[in-house]
Amino acid sequence: MAELSTDHLLGIKYITPKDIELIFSIADNFKEVINRPIKKVPTLRDVTIANIFFENSTRTKLSFELAEKRLSADVINFSAGASSVTKGETLVDTVNNILAMKTDMVVMRHPNAGAAAFLSKHVDAKIVNAGDGAHEHPTQALLDAFSIREKLGDVKGKKVLIVGDILHSRVALSNIFCLQKLGAEVRLCGPATLMPKYIESLGVKIEPDFRKALEWCDVTNMLRIQMERQETKYFPSLREYTMQYGLTKKILDSLDKEIVVMHPGPINRGVEITSDVADSEHSIILNQVENGVAIRMAVLYLLAEKIKR
Ligand code: CP
């Protein structure tokens, strides 16, 4: 039986193209399972998983919880705001208390980059990074690449554009690693103030002209402008951002080819994309959400295979 090369999923940077293909092939099976009338399998019946979220989430939290329940795992949910973290308990103490209740795996979202890697060194459980600050969001990148593969047949050779707030985006970084590992070409577009200085050293090109970038790509991934991470103002106003980088149906219809539109969510409708684009036949945004459950089932299944029992 093939297995992952790592004991945790901390980031796409730390896994191999073979790992990604393995996750995809298992996710293909789970996608079939979750579309059956009986959507549940007993695979993780004796595994307990804690979802610990120190930051807000809709898609990732619900998707992991559903993936765990579809696999018949026992699930506990922890939200920092309603916990003893507010009384000053440390991350390691908090998680060790959760693990003392015989928990096997921890899915964690945290506002600080490196939190998942730190936790993996200090506690005895499999750790899945559900987003750590502006660092990585590995399951988002996996479900994005899986959705491109589903829509276009393959990721290899595809031209993928990522637009917007690259500086604050864990989705962008994980997508760059994932798409490149699968043989896609990646370009970035957005305000120069939202492009990290190092980003071209990762082998991506920056195309400052949004129209040219759209003409180049097969797929465009429209990132959310992350107001909550912007203490400084990186562009004059949202209106000006939208005028320069917002995707409208008019722009899409004026291109001489069809492109696939993605968004990791949550969408700021009328900012990154208009509603008629988000809800159009070009958009695979809800397919991304559906595929997220199958991808997370695959990741949890493969990491659970590594638990010594
Ligand atoms: N895509 C994503 O991570 O969404 P949430 O913040 O709602 O989990």
Side-chain angles (χ1 to χ4, degrees), residues 210-228:
F210 185 42
R211 167 113 211 152
K212 275 193 197 156
L214 289 172
E215 279 165 358
W216 168 83
C217 74
D218 302 307
V219 178
T220 183
N221 195 346
M222 306 300 296
L223 300 179
R224 180 174 71 90
I225 289 294
Q226 302 193 33
M227 294 304 174
E228 73 278 20

Side-chain angles (χ1 to χ4, degrees), residues 170-181:
R170 54 193 172 213
V171 175
L173 194 59
S174 289
N175 259 270
I176 290 168
F177 291 138
C178 191
L179 292 164
Q180 288 182 333
K181 285 183 188 212

Side-chain angles (χ1 to χ4, degrees), residues 182-252:
L182 294 174
E185 200 182 333
V186 183
R187 284 194 190 172
L188 308 174
C189 181
T193 48
L194 288 172
M195 289 291 163
K197 297 271 179 286
Y198 67 87
I199 204 76
E200 283 175 299
S201 70
L202 299 181
V204 294
K205 283 195 182 137
I206 298 171
E207 172 51 72
D209 184 317
F210 185 42
R211 167 113 211 152
K212 275 193 197 156
L214 289 172
E215 279 165 358
W216 168 83
C217 74
D218 302 307
V219 178
T220 183
N221 195 346
M222 306 300 296
L223 300 179
R224 180 174 71 90
I225 289 294
Q226 302 193 33
M227 294 304 174
E228 73 278 20
R229 292 194 211 279
Q230 296 190 16
E231 281 148 24
T232 316
K233 296 283 171 246
Y234 290 89
F235 44 82
S237 68
L238 266 187
R239 194 159 158 266
E240 275 162 282
Y241 177 86
T242 302
M243 280 167 63
Q244 215 170 335
Y245 303 104
L247 187 58
T248 63
K249 192 77 174 32
K250 194 170 162 203
I251 299 175
L252 270 187

